[in-house]
Amino acid sequence: MNIQSAFADALLAPEAVCPPGLLAWNGSDPGRRFAVYRNNVMVSLIDALADSYPVTQELVGEEFFAAMARLFVQAQPPRSPVLALYGEGFADFIEAFPPAVGLPYLADVARLEMRRVQAWHAADAAPLPERELARLLADASLSLARFGLQPSLGVLRSRHAVVSLWAAHQADDVAAALAQIAVDQAEAALVLRVGLEVDITRIGEGAAAFVGGLQQGLAFGAAAGQALAVEPEFDLAATLGMLIRGGGICSAGISGSAAAAVA
């Protein structure tokens, strides 16, 4: 192991001694200086997680969050100097974290917050012009069409009221908003960046299945059938309207072979 690797490993191991080969400019003990540096690195990474997961932190308190985040950092240190998306595995870590077992919704709240971070940093894509979209929706082969969705668009399904929990922490009176929530109520979320804002919208199970199907490359008809199987009252028009208003559809088309088969 070279000195760089030893240095990096020791940064995230609180019990590790100062790596050999380090010198202080004034001849003092480098161990004390290294300990300060190690603490600063750890605090910076914990703060980066807190920035990405503010609601998760509010749900458990700063002290609990910091202790949990510290263990996560030690287990899964950054692999890139860019910290914007650091912590993608945090939700899975929370789900397996014994002290959080009494908060079964916490991991999904973290997943929702990471979807929000990913949406913010996703690539830009121009929405499909409404004229082209209207022409396709009137096409007899619509059921065979495939839609390309915005890179920022994400869907999350949870057995818990994660959208309501997240929204409550955006309210002026958080405690009052939380008091109205049945946390065991299943919810699904649509996450989409619109302009310079990331919107988080509660959607039905059918809408989640439909959008998820389109993301997986299913044709329009297959995605709609999947949604109706999940929720017989699924409102296709309302879901399409939501996607169109948010600029969530950026491409669409019917392959030549599919159109020929219908003809």
Side-chain angles (χ1 to χ4, degrees):
M1 179 183 292
N2 58 36
I3 190 172
Q4 289 87 358
S5 297
F7 185 90
D9 290 344
L11 277 178
L12 299 176
E15 72 286 352
V17 298
C18 178
L22 297 184
L23 299 173
W25 69 274
N26 60 357
S28 62
D29 178 12
R32 295 180 63 183
R33 293 175 180 272
F34 181 78
V36 172
Y37 184 72
R38 173 162 53 195
N39 182 68
N40 288 341
V41 168
M42 179 61 71
V43 169
S44 296
L45 293 176
I46 292 172
D47 287 346
L49 289 171
D51 287 342
S52 295
Y53 297 96
V55 173
T56 303
Q57 179 178 250
E58 289 178 21
L59 284 168
V60 298
E62 291 184 12
E63 184 176 352
F64 185 102
F65 184 89
M68 180 169 62
R70 182 179 295 273
L71 293 174
F72 172 77
V73 170
Q74 292 170 353
Q76 299 185 39
R79 300 301 179 190
S80 166
V82 180
L83 294 182
L85 295 176
Y86 175 56
E88 289 181 284
F90 194 38
D92 290 342
F93 180 87
I94 292 172
E95 198 163 44
F97 188 55
V101 69
L103 302 173
Y105 51 82
L106 191 65
D108 278 351
V109 171
R111 290 187 176 95
L112 180 59
E113 294 202 276
M114 179 47 64
R115 292 281 200 287
R116 186 173 184 273
V117 171
Q118 292 168 334
W120 174 254
H121 293 284
D124 291 319
L128 187 69
E130 290 188 12
R131 180 178 299 178
E132 293 183 31
L133 189 55
R135 183 166 56 246
L136 181 63
L137 292 176
D139 194 299
S141 303
L142 173 62
S143 65
L144 301 175
R146 284 179 167 79
F147 289 75
L149 304 181
Q150 286 288 347
S152 69
L153 190 149
V155 173
L156 176 70
R157 298 174 188 162
S158 174
R159 291 175 298 170
H160 307 286
V162 292
V163 182
S164 297
L165 286 168
W166 183 87
H169 283 83
Q170 318 310 312
D172 292 332
D173 189 339
V174 175
L178 288 173
Q180 305 300 314
I181 299 173
V183 295
D184 291 333
Q185 175 66 49
E187 291 184 354
L190 179 79
V191 183
L192 178 64
R193 190 180 69 234
V194 180
L196 297 179
E197 298 292 334
V198 177
D199 290 342
I200 296 178
T201 306
R202 180 180 175 182
I203 59 175
E205 284 295 318
F210 175 71
V211 176
L214 295 181
Q215 286 184 310
Q216 293 164 14
L218 293 183
F220 183 90
Q226 179 173 276
L228 287 167
V230 171
E231 182 184 346
E233 292 77 29
F234 165 62
D235 191 334
L236 177 59
T239 303
L240 273 176
M242 175 183 62
L243 290 174
I244 293 169
R245 287 192 301 274
I249 300 172
C250 55
S251 67
I254 302 170
S255 67
S257 58
V262 172

